[in-house]
Amino acid sequence: MTMHHRPLARLGAVALLASGAFTAVGTPAHAAGSAADLTVTAVVGTKVAEGTRIKTAYAKVTNNGPGTPSALVVKADTSKVDHYGEVAFLPAAEGCSGEGAAKPVLWTCVVPEEQIPGPGETLELPIVMIKRVPDVDEPYTAPVTLTVESPDDTTADNNSATVQIEISKESGVDLGVVVPDVTRQLAFDDVLKENPPTEALNPGDATTVLAFIENQGDRIADGLDLKIALPKGVTFDDGIQVKECEYAADLRSADCRAGLLQLAPGEGVLGAFPVEVAAGVKAPVSLTGGEVSLRARGELAATEANLARKRSSLPSFLHRPAGSRAAQAGDVDPTDNRDDFAVVVAAAGTGGGGQDGGDEDGGPLPVTGAQTGLVVGIGGAVLVAGAAMFLSARRRRVVLVTPGDEKPTA
């Protein structure tokens, strides 16, 4: 595991390149047929720590197949939210608009065609929650209902989910992780390049899984432990391993320790994991079942003294921008401490798409497109200044991250 440090704007560019902008190189064709089972699988990160003013949550919309719908709309019913009192709840992506005379009561997000998830893929819609007052006398909660609509949806009873948003009186670390689906080749050494060379991901190819990690709490995260599991048919690159990670014998899972890493509120890191697709995988196919999860080892109060003393010694492969902010800890909101991802493999000699496929056991879903899904990271400080940061990335959201501190060597 390598943790790369960037300021918010630069990391946004990295996330854009790594997660979705590769469609400029070539987008796999959609499989024939538009009938699909769409579902709101989760809405995560909806609890805000006491000292946090702005937080990004995510609504996950998964396509269970078999086809790719021709159109998709995501709606958020915010009629129960006191927008002008405690909190504002704002879907933060292109194509989203609000309705309501006195306050927004319904948000409608029309998903662009190229961002509609194919079978086995997940669209993650970023939602910004802004606490309007610095302190609340007591915890505030309100229900929000997310619903998906598509003329091609085959199952109507799993199209909505209701979640409670919460402005809490609880202080602490609040880690979040976003792992974009892997759809193109990305060389480990090219992760931080502005325009990395990319090609279609075919059986036998090497690429990189990225994990965007951020502390959205109000206390310093002191040490980090991360676990990563890869889909069947994908293994870690045996030639590029990190001493801080313990790998399973089959090279499909790893436990990684970043005991020297400290993340201040609003700070984050980018982890990079070189992997390989098995040569025997039958493509095109979406290999699902990947997962990254994490926890903080401890926490420190975000006082001026602690922030000034926060560890800043970095090995050569970590980068800290100038002027950036600098026993297991509890987590204010553990719902966003893990994220699933898929590895989308194209047929050899093509840019992707084609006939249905699967691995030797016929398990994974066929690939129907390398969508540039909605992935938006919004930095609190940037938002306070009135600027939203948008990261258009494929299906799997990307949380914004900046600097931290650890000592792995590749």
Side-chain angles (χ1 to χ4, degrees), residues 9-10 21 25 56 142 203 216 233 259 348 377 391 398 408:
R10 289 285 295 112
V25 181
T56 305
Q216 297 195 86
L391 307 178
V398 166

Side-chain angles (χ1 to χ4, degrees), residues 238-256:
D238 196 30
I240 312 177
Q241 294 194 3
V242 179
K243 68 178 183 180
E244 285 77 12
C245 293
E246 294 183 3
Y247 297 88
D250 62 0
L251 293 180
R252 285 191 52 218
S253 64
D255 293 343
C256 302

Side-chain angles (χ1 to χ4, degrees), residues 27-34 63 66-70 112-119 121 284 352-356 366-372:
T27 301
H30 287 230
S34 59
N63 180 355
T68 300
S70 59
E113 181 180 1
E114 68 274 11
Q115 299 174 5
I116 296 174
E121 300 169 358
Q355 302 301 313
D356 290 356
V367 166
T368 58
Q371 283 66 15
T372 325

Side-chain angles (χ1 to χ4, degrees), residues 53 78-90 98-107 128-136 140 142 165 167:
R53 294 295 302 274
T78 58
S79 58
K80 304 297 184 182
V81 177
D82 184 5
H83 284 265
Y84 300 112
E86 307 292 350
V87 63
F89 184 90
L90 311 170
E99 302 175 21
K103 66 175 186 178
V105 297
L106 180 68
W107 289 90
V128 177
M129 296 182 296
I130 305 173
K131 188 163 63 175
R132 293 188 175 277
V133 293
D135 300 301
V136 294
Y140 170 82
I165 63 171
I167 305 300

Side-chain angles (χ1 to χ4, degrees), residues 22-42:
F22 291 164
T23 52
V25 181
T27 301
H30 287 230
S34 59
D37 175 17
L38 299 167
T39 180
V40 180
T41 51

